Amino acid sequence: MGFVCVLLVALSADRALAEDTVFPAPGNKSEALVIGSVTDLAFIEPLISAFQRANPSTEVTYRQMTSLDLYAAAAKACAAGEFFADAVISSAIPEQVRLVNDGCSDPFRFALPDDLPDWASWRNELAGLTFEPAVIVYDRQGLDPAEVPRNRFELVDLLRQTDRFRGRIGTYDIEDSGVGYLFAFEDSEQASTWGRLLESLGQNRAQLYCCSSDVIDGVASGRLVLGYNVLGSYALARQVEDPRIGIVFPSDYTLALSRAALVSRHARNKQAANALLALALSDTGQRILSGPSMLFSSLNGPAMLEQAGNGIGRQAGEAAFRPIALSPALLVELDQAKRKAFLDQWRKSFQAGGG
């Protein structure tokens, strides 16, 4: 893709740094596109490359932030009527729904695919691009095959061995991670095991991380035996390089999120932002997302997962996928009173376990 420039940008004095990666226009530059996102660059770069092949005069700036910082920056710019990014893509989908609900997005100027599932769009202003299960990752050198938990009931039973697993379980720090909070809150609503699972994480002094990649690093190094609620896209891509990493799609249910994308109301280049999202939802985009990035597409994700090799296809076929719908119902998770009560329960469980 030619020369790429990476910059750390302070969006404001009280804002965490964003990492801007600039992809120069392959041809004569005549326009620019700014993407605000949480997705690791290596996963999104194939889509940017395909976009620039079709739009060689467009320079692309990829602005990467943590999910909560991304939301805060986008919301602040919207309230002030200022530019932040042309397109915003995030796995923290309740925050994306709030941006749309608060009038921070623009209607799409392209037709969404007819076969896009109902759960993957809202108000023609928010579209789910990917299909990413929440999985359990484990160290194949640290667990015998017969010990590997296939569902949350077996996981709770396994974690009773606190002397063995203390400090060697990893999951999201839900106070700092929007997607981590989303998965945990959905578990509390859907899992009959939630209370016992949370207690087990606390008793085992589970290590908390901002990002799936950090949990996977811990498993790959042997520091962690197991990681819970890790994004399957990151785990699957890493497993290709490191067979030490095992992956489980919980058989009781497997949550799946779709990275939600919107065109900013105050975008400078709405045409390019729409073109990027239309590409992501096209046949070409589906092939890209289902390729080495393993983000998969909201249109064909379950089918593509079932075709995956290395035993993943069989497991995915047995999984009871529960996609998290893009809808106003997600705003409940952002209610301040509910959030405080939920985080208080989380903290107490870890304090009781000495974590």
Side-chain angles (χ1 to χ4, degrees):
M1 296 184 65
F3 177 74
V4 175
C5 178
V6 180
L7 303 170
L8 288 177
V9 179
L11 297 180
S12 69
D14 60 348
R15 185 76 60 214
L17 289 176
E19 184 172 277
D20 279 8
T21 303
V22 179
F23 295 90
N28 295 323
K29 176 187 172 182
S30 63
E31 63 176 4
L33 170 68
V34 178
I35 307 166
S37 181
V38 303
T39 307
D40 287 359
L41 180 59
F43 287 81
I44 201 73
E45 190 169 355
L47 187 66
I48 294 174
S49 180
F51 173 80
Q52 287 192 309
R53 284 196 296 272
N55 301 272
S57 62
T58 307
E59 175 186 272
V60 175
T61 296
Y62 187 72
R63 177 162 292 163
Q64 185 176 347
M65 306 174 71
T66 66
S67 57
L68 297 184
D69 282 343
L70 177 71
Y71 166 71
K76 182 178 180 180
C78 173
E82 298 174 352
F83 174 78
F84 165 68
D86 298 298
V88 179
I89 306 172
S90 179
S91 51
I93 55 180
E95 285 79 2
Q96 292 289 84
V97 169
R98 175 174 278 180
L99 287 173
V100 173
N101 194 61
D102 290 347
C104 299
S105 57
D106 200 57
F108 296 132
R109 300 178 182 179
F110 62 94
L112 293 172
D114 291 337
D115 54 345
L116 185 68
D118 290 342
W119 54 260
S121 67
W122 184 48
R123 277 184 21 179
N124 197 43
E125 294 182 38
L126 191 65
L129 306 184
T130 65
F131 186 88
E132 301 177 64
V135 303
I136 298 170
V137 296
Y138 65 94
D139 177 7
R140 283 177 166 153
Q141 296 179 20
L143 284 181
D144 292 330
E147 294 183 296
V148 176
R150 297 301 172 187
N151 53 53
R152 290 168 181 80
F153 302 99
E154 293 180 5
L155 176 59
V156 169
D157 287 341
L158 180 70
L159 295 185
R160 288 175 179 163
Q161 303 177 46
T162 52
D163 290 340
R164 179 182 175 191
F165 296 118
R166 186 173 286 114
R168 302 194 66 200
I169 308 299
T171 192
Y172 279 109
D173 184 344
I174 69 169
E175 296 191 59
D176 291 333
S177 168
V179 68
Y181 181 87
L182 170 67
F183 283 155
F185 193 94
E186 290 291 326
D187 273 342
S188 73
E189 295 286 302
Q190 302 196 38
S192 60
T193 56
W194 171 247
R196 286 178 292 157
L197 178 56
L198 186 55
E199 181 182 3
S200 296
L201 292 173
Q203 289 176 341
N204 282 278
R205 300 181 186 177
Q207 303 298 300
L208 305 180
Y209 299 88
C210 75
C211 316
S212 283
S213 55
D214 290 343
V215 179
I216 298 168
D217 286 344
V219 172
S221 69
R223 287 185 290 107
L224 300 178
V225 176
L226 185 145
Y228 179 70
N229 265 355
V230 172
L231 279 172
S233 50
Y234 287 25
L236 288 163
R238 187 68 174 272
Q239 188 186 57
V240 172
E241 304 172 358
D242 190 347
R244 180 170 180 167
I245 296 169
I247 298 174
V248 173
F249 296 80
S251 60
D252 48 338
Y253 67 87
T254 298
L255 293 172
L257 68 75
S258 189
R259 287 173 198 263
L262 59 85
V263 176
S264 298
R265 179 182 178 186
H266 302 293
R268 293 171 180 165
N269 194 341
K270 293 184 180 181
Q271 181 176 350
N274 276 274
L276 174 75
L277 303 189
L279 171 64
L281 292 169
S282 69
D283 290 344
T284 298
Q286 290 180 56
R287 287 193 295 271
I288 292 169
L289 294 174
S290 301
S293 294
M294 294 195 177
L295 295 172
F296 298 99
S297 169
S298 53
L299 290 101
N300 65 0
M304 294 302 294
L305 278 165
E306 288 184 30
Q307 296 172 23
N310 203 23
I312 293 299
R314 176 185 56 78
Q315 274 201 58
E318 297 171 353
F321 288 123
R322 294 186 186 176
I324 303 171
L326 304 181
S327 78
L330 290 174
L331 295 175
V332 173
E333 301 184 16
L334 301 180
D335 177 82
Q336 289 303 305
K338 283 186 175 293
R339 180 178 175 85
K340 182 181 183 303
F342 190 71
L343 291 177
D344 284 346
Q345 179 195 27
W346 175 269
R347 294 188 196 105
K348 288 176 182 176
S349 295
F350 279 85
Q351 290 166 358

